[in-house]
């Protein structure tokens, strides 16, 4: 069998995967070329430094594809993520972007991995970093702030972030402790409004002006959208323009670095999920993956993913209908909230390819009920995208 990126078995098409493996288990079909294309797009078009948010999809082959495309900076939230990235890529630059960290994690990040960038949203967290690392000396602390709410699928400011009123004082404390300073925010995941980012930048600039200390980093976070069926926000270019314009209107020192931390928009299209129908009952299809495994976001975020029925062994019906899709666990909430529109003769043994499955799928899967998808292959064929 041909091997490709990160030693994954490699196939020309999803049909070839099926012919070779006949999988009764879910298979993640990575599209390394699509991952690289999207990473290069960010690197070439975002007007600043691009970090990849590892939590979105930490699989080694995904990181490898992004690294091959030129991504060198990684937004990590735990010691495990830092260790994973650095184990494979000793030259990678990891940023410790969780606002609440165990002291032992800070100490290990500092001593073992030489991590230079940390995020805080509270003065007590600053003290923890001073206690464990001994203070500034060229290291960077970004203060995460709350920004105005716009149309995002998930709000991430409910849990983390200091108010714009309190942030200047915290920035001054960071500066006084001899760290380089930065301001960070996150507008929420799957954000449908470019203006959310420019409003965020404006809020950050107000905080910086008020703090009146030198600021070296402005981090606009993640939240850039991917396309789903029925959810097709403006192109990423509009977001980059909006950010660039707001950032240019500033009186900051010229060496202030603009950064972003995309997860979803960088990797969603770079992987599809191949599942198998285990039983049909009327218009219900029972499949081998569900909301406790790869498809939790269909419930939490109400995302409707593109899907197609595949069976290289037979001719599929040209009439189609809606099917309710049920996951494998014994819990009755394990049902996708949106139906899939598939050929009306779909039945046991057929496969369904589900697209836009690169973000928050394998990274969010549990082992509940003994079902755990863990098979990855690489596929050359183009990704399965939503119908525009
Ligand atoms: C989750 C997260 C990201 C990535 O968010 P996406 O919506 O996937 O782009 C980036 N930064 C931080 C701090 C996060 O928590």
């Amino acid at each position: 069998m041909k091997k490709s990126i990160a030693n994954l078995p490699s196939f020309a098409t999803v049909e070839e995967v099926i012919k070779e493996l006949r999988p009764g288990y879910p298979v993640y079909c990575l599209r390394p070329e699509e991952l690289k294309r999207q990473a290069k797009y960010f690197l070439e078009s975002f007007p600043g430094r691009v970090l990849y948010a590892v939590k979105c999809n930490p699989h080694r082959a995904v990181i490898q594809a992004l690294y091959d495309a030129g991504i060198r900076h990684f937004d990590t939230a735990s010691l495990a993520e830092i260790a994973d990235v650095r184990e494979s890529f000793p030259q990678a630059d990891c940023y410790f972007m969780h606002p609440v960290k165990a002291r032992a994690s800070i100490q290990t990040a500092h001593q073992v991995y030489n991590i230079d960038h940390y995020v805080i949203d509270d003065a007590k967290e600053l003290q923890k970093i001073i206690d464990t690392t001994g203070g500034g000396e060229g290291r960077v602390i970004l203060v995460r702030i709350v920004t105005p709410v716009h149309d995002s699928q998930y709000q991430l400011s409910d849990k983390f972030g200091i108010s714009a009123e309190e942030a200047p004082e915290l920035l001054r404390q960071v500066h006084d402790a001899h760290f380089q300073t930065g301001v960070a925010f996150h507008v929420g995941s799957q954000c449908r409004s470019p203006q959310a980012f420019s409003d965020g930048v404006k809020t950050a600039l107000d905080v910086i002006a008020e703090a009146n200390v030198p600021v070296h980093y402005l981090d606009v976070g993640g939240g850039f959208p991917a396309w789903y069926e029925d959810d097709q926000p403006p192109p990423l270019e509009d977001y980059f323009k909006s950010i660039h314009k707001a950032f240019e209107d500033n009186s900051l020192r010229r060496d202030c670095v603009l950064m972003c931390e995309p997860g979803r928009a960088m990797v969603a299209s770079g992987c599809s999920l191949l599942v198998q129908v285990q039983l049909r009952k009327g218009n219900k299809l029972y499949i081998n993956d569900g909301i406790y495994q790869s498809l939790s976001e269909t419930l939490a975020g109400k995302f409707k993913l593109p899907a197609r029925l595949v069976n290289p062994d037979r001719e599929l019906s040209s009439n189609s209908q809606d099917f309710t899709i049920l996951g494998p666990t014994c819990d009755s909430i394990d049902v996708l909230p949106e139906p899939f529109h598939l050929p009306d003769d779909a039945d046991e043994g057929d496969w369904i390819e589900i697209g836009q499955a690169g973000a928050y799928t394998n990274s969010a899967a549990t082992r509940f009920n003994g079902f755990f998808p863990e098979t990855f292959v690489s596929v050359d064929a183009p990704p399965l995208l939503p119908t525009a």
Side-chain angles (χ1 to χ4, degrees), residues 2 4 39 45 94 104 132 153 165-166 183 201 226 252 305 336 352 354 383 386:
K2 199 177 119 204
S4 76
S45 307
C94 290
T132 36
Q153 196 60 32
E165 292 70 43
E166 297 167 293
V183 176
V201 171
L252 290 178
L305 302 171
L336 305 198
I352 302 173
I354 303 173

Side-chain angles (χ1 to χ4, degrees), residues 16-32:
E16 293 297 320
V17 176
I18 292 174
K19 283 185 200 154
E20 183 90 22
L21 305 180
R22 318 287 313 169
Y25 44 88
V27 180
Y28 294 108
C29 299
L30 287 189
R31 304 296 204 286

Side-chain angles (χ1 to χ4, degrees), residues 53 55-56 75 144 186 189-190 222-224 261-264 360:
K55 78 168 186 284
C56 189
D75 162 8
R144 173 139 164 201
H186 197 301
S189 202
Q190 185 69 4
F224 301 94
E261 309 166 344
R264 180 188 305 282
Y360 304 108

Side-chain angles (χ1 to χ4, degrees), residues 151-155 188-192 231 300-303:
D151 181 15
S152 296
Q153 196 60 32
Y154 301 95
Q155 298 304 330
S189 202
Q190 185 69 4
C191 177
R192 301 188 183 86
D231 184 9
K302 303 267 184 303
F303 292 126

Side-chain angles (χ1 to χ4, degrees), residues 42 51-57 75-77 97-99 119 144 154 156 160 184-191 197 219-226 260-267 297 359-360:
F42 264 96
L51 283 61
Y52 169 60
V54 171
K55 78 168 186 284
C56 189
N57 192 330
D75 162 8
T76 46
M97 299 307 234
H98 198 304
V119 159
R144 173 139 164 201
Y154 301 95
L156 297 182
F160 298 124
F185 60 84
H186 197 301
V187 296
S189 202
Q190 185 69 4
C191 177
F197 286 88
D219 176 4
V220 302
F224 301 94
C260 68
E261 309 166 344
R264 180 188 305 282
M266 180 111 60
V267 298
E297 269 217 315
Y360 304 108

Side-chain angles (χ1 to χ4, degrees), residues 26-305:
V27 180
Y28 294 108
C29 299
L30 287 189
R31 304 296 204 286
E33 290 311 312
E34 172 68 10
L35 291 167
K36 286 183 208 169
R37 194 190 61 74
Q38 206 52 1
K40 283 188 184 137
Y41 177 72
F42 264 96
L43 288 169
E44 283 159 17
S45 307
F46 180 78
R49 185 180 296 178
V50 179
L51 283 61
Y52 169 60
V54 171
K55 78 168 186 284
C56 189
N57 192 330
H59 193 272
R60 162 94 81 97
V62 171
I63 307 281
Q64 178 78 56
L66 303 181
Y67 197 89
D68 289 349
I71 299 285
R72 292 293 178 273
H73 306 282
F74 295 88
D75 162 8
T76 46
S78 63
L79 210 47
E81 286 184 351
I82 294 170
D84 269 359
V85 172
R86 289 286 282 279
E87 196 71 32
S88 304
F89 305 98
Q91 307 300 322
D93 203 358
C94 290
Y95 297 57
F96 204 164
M97 299 307 234
H98 198 304
V100 183
K101 298 165 281 299
R103 282 177 185 259
S105 298
I106 301 169
Q107 194 166 19
T108 309
H110 168 58
Q111 284 180 355
V112 177
Y113 296 104
N114 297 313
I115 301 299
D116 282 334
H117 298 75
Y118 300 84
V119 159
I120 63 168
D121 67 0
D122 191 285
K124 293 196 286 293
E125 188 75 8
L126 171 60
Q127 192 56 51
K128 271 157 68 176
I129 298 177
I130 295 171
D131 292 347
T132 36
T133 67
E137 293 171 49
R139 279 181 290 281
V140 181
I141 290 187
L142 297 103
V143 172
R144 173 139 164 201
I145 61 167
V146 173
T147 56
V149 174
H150 282 265
D151 181 15
S152 296
Q153 196 60 32
Y154 301 95
Q155 298 304 330
L156 297 182
S157 285
D158 294 346
K159 188 164 174 184
F160 298 124
I162 186 169
S163 72
E165 292 70 43
E166 297 167 293
E169 173 57 25
L170 186 54
L171 261 183
R172 283 192 287 269
Q173 291 174 17
V174 171
H175 175 71
D176 291 346
H178 307 292
F179 291 93
Q180 289 189 48
T181 62
V183 176
F185 60 84
H186 197 301
V187 296
S189 202
Q190 185 69 4
C191 177
R192 301 188 183 86
S193 159
Q195 203 198 327
F197 286 88
S198 48
D199 282 2
V201 171
K202 283 177 199 151
T203 305
L205 292 174
D206 288 346
V207 164
I208 291 166
E210 178 70 29
N212 198 26
V213 292
V215 169
H216 309 80
Y217 292 88
L218 202 168
D219 176 4
V220 302
F224 301 94
W227 275 26
Y228 297 98
E229 302 285 348
D230 302 334
D231 184 9
Q232 307 191 340
L236 292 178
E237 196 192 341
D238 292 11
Y239 291 76
F240 299 164
K241 276 190 195 146
S242 169
I243 291 165
H244 188 59
K245 184 163 183 320
F247 184 68
E248 285 297 286
D249 290 343
N250 75 60
S251 52
L252 290 178
R253 40 186 296 159
R254 296 185 80 130
D255 59 352
C256 180
V257 176
L258 181 66
M259 304 197 296
C260 68
E261 309 166 344
R264 180 188 305 282
M266 180 111 60
V267 298
S269 59
C271 182
S272 68
L273 175 68
L274 185 63
V275 300
Q276 193 181 40
V277 178
Q278 307 298 350
L279 189 68
R280 174 174 178 170
K281 282 188 199 166
N283 62 0
K284 291 182 187 161
L285 298 178
Y286 291 76
I287 63 168
N288 53 4
D289 203 328
I291 64 136
Y292 285 97
Q293 289 83 30
S294 314
L295 301 169
S296 61
E297 269 217 315
T298 61
L299 198 64
K302 303 267 184 303
F303 292 126
K304 186 171 182 184
L305 302 171

